[in-house]
Amino acid sequence: MDRQLNGALSGLRRLELGDLQTYKEALNQVNRICWQQYFPFLYFRYVLSRKDDMLISETDGPVSMYLLTKSISGAPRLQLFFLPMPMDERALAMGLERVRDFNKSKKAVVYWVDEEDLGRIGNLKAEVRVKPLEREYIYDPRIYRSLSGGEKRHIRKSINRMKSRDDVEVRDFNEEDIEDCLLLMDQWAVTQQGKYEGQVSPRGYARRCVRWSSRFDKKDLFGKVILIGGKIRSVGFAGEIRKGLANLFVAYSDHQFGELARFQVYQLLLELDGFALANSAYATTPGLKYAKESLCPVMKHGMFRVQVIQ
């Protein structure tokens, strides 16, 4: 969006790649788990899309994030994207007032609120409406190297079948793989077309991740490709959200190989075994729900949208 940041937007600026360190330092002061706080997601989804503006403020003390979008009528709308980092009641009150002022409304929306933070907004002197959104799948990456225990027997068998093939190669993603991976994603969309209503296509931020992943250090974003018979059949990306927490970000696989998608996630989790937790987002279909639950998550984590009405 091409809009001047003045009036109620004064003191805000558009998020940039150079904000990564400042953002992560702020994020490390909270214990939030949600995957939407993963910086590469914010960068590929909002910074590079040019459809919406992700705005950041450090002037009020804690770091605050805002999302500037267009409503159905085309009018710009401002929302507080997360609670301030670290959480601060004064900064939250100022952020909500900024949103109300810009929108000329008594209502202000906090776009994403972790379940553990719901109690932090209870002291607001306003009407608070909470809407449940999704349950994210959270894994412990440290258990996948051994895969011990009877409940993981089906994972061991699946992984061993893939390992036993002599035509399977797993390696790091590199820039020479970009076009082959984009083609794989397009072919995936064709195979999924009959399963859903409307047009199926790879998410825009996923395609931008494939094209521009090299802009990030490997700690923040790394990729893996799996070749079968010398051809890339799966691509996946993951990386650090904050200390102790990682994100299983993007994964696309050729579904004619039944156990390949699970094998890709397994490979990413092996690389993340220095983290206590890895967030794999939510499941949008019954098949995806089965796939995520079959990998033995250690918890499901709730996300909410909050309206604060003055």
Side-chain angles (χ1 to χ4, degrees), residues 3-12 14 55 98 101-102:
R3 183 183 179 89
Q4 295 294 317
L5 300 182
N6 51 26
L9 301 180
S10 296
L12 304 183
R14 289 174 175 85
L55 306 176
R98 183 194 292 273
D101 185 24
F102 180 85

Side-chain angles (χ1 to χ4, degrees), residues 143-246:
I143 69 175
Y144 292 91
R145 199 161 295 278
S146 67
L147 284 175
S148 60
E151 74 279 7
K152 302 180 190 68
R153 179 172 176 269
H154 65 287
I155 304 177
R156 289 196 301 272
K157 292 176 65 176
S158 174
I159 298 306
N160 287 336
R161 280 193 290 268
M162 289 298 298
K163 287 182 175 180
S164 68
R165 298 182 59 137
D166 58 10
D167 59 348
V168 173
E169 177 189 357
V170 181
R171 62 167 172 79
D172 292 342
F173 170 88
N174 61 60
E175 290 190 330
E176 287 71 33
D177 299 325
I178 290 175
E179 295 305 323
D180 286 342
C181 289
L182 292 175
L183 177 61
L184 169 69
M185 294 163 71
D186 289 338
Q187 292 171 340
W188 169 90
V190 172
T191 65
Q192 300 301 298
Q193 197 65 53
K195 299 181 180 180
Y196 311 104
E197 294 182 5
Q199 182 70 28
V200 176
S201 61
R203 295 185 183 272
Y205 67 77
R207 296 182 67 87
R208 288 187 283 272
C209 173
V210 170
R211 286 201 178 278
W212 307 115
S213 64
S214 62
R215 295 183 178 182
F216 289 89
D217 291 339
K218 298 296 186 184
K219 177 182 179 181
D220 297 305
L221 180 67
F222 67 89
K224 288 285 184 182
V225 293
I226 301 175
L227 293 78
I228 298 180
K231 182 177 180 179
I232 293 178
R233 299 291 188 174
S234 180
V235 58
F237 290 88
E240 181 183 83
I241 296 178
R242 58 165 173 80
K243 292 178 181 177
L245 176 66

Side-chain angles (χ1 to χ4, degrees), residues 48-59:
L48 294 188
S49 74
R50 303 186 183 278
K51 181 180 179 181
D52 304 316
D53 273 335
M54 180 61 62
L55 306 176
I56 183 172
S57 169
E58 304 165 74
T59 58

Side-chain angles (χ1 to χ4, degrees), residues 32-158:
R32 295 170 194 163
I33 298 176
C34 74
W35 80 272
Q36 293 88 355
Q37 64 192 341
Y38 183 46
F39 190 93
F41 166 69
L42 300 179
Y43 180 72
F44 294 126
R45 169 62 180 85
Y46 296 107
V47 176
L48 294 188
S49 74
R50 303 186 183 278
K51 181 180 179 181
D52 304 316
D53 273 335
M54 180 61 62
L55 306 176
I56 183 172
S57 169
E58 304 165 74
T59 58
D60 300 332
V63 170
S64 294
M65 307 289 294
Y66 298 82
L67 180 62
L68 182 61
T69 63
K70 286 185 178 179
S71 65
I72 296 176
S73 67
R77 303 290 293 178
L78 186 66
Q79 301 169 91
L80 194 60
F81 200 67
F82 301 124
L83 296 177
M85 303 178 292
M87 175 57 185
D88 179 90
E89 291 185 5
R90 177 177 173 274
L92 175 58
M94 294 177 65
L96 294 172
E97 184 58 33
R98 183 194 292 273
V99 171
R100 285 191 288 264
D101 185 24
F102 180 85
N103 295 333
K104 295 179 172 53
S105 172
K106 293 183 178 181
K107 180 178 71 175
V109 173
V110 187
Y111 204 66
W112 295 109
V113 178
D114 284 55
E115 62 181 20
E116 58 268 25
D117 277 338
L118 287 177
R120 307 295 299 273
I121 60 178
N123 295 329
L124 293 172
K125 296 179 180 179
E127 178 184 354
V128 177
R129 298 177 183 175
V130 177
K131 177 184 178 182
L133 293 180
E134 58 191 48
R135 303 287 291 176
E136 304 170 323
Y137 288 83
I138 313 298
Y139 302 94
D140 180 351
R142 298 167 294 187
I143 69 175
Y144 292 91
R145 199 161 295 278
S146 67
L147 284 175
S148 60
E151 74 279 7
K152 302 180 190 68
R153 179 172 176 269
H154 65 287
I155 304 177
R156 289 196 301 272
K157 292 176 65 176
S158 174

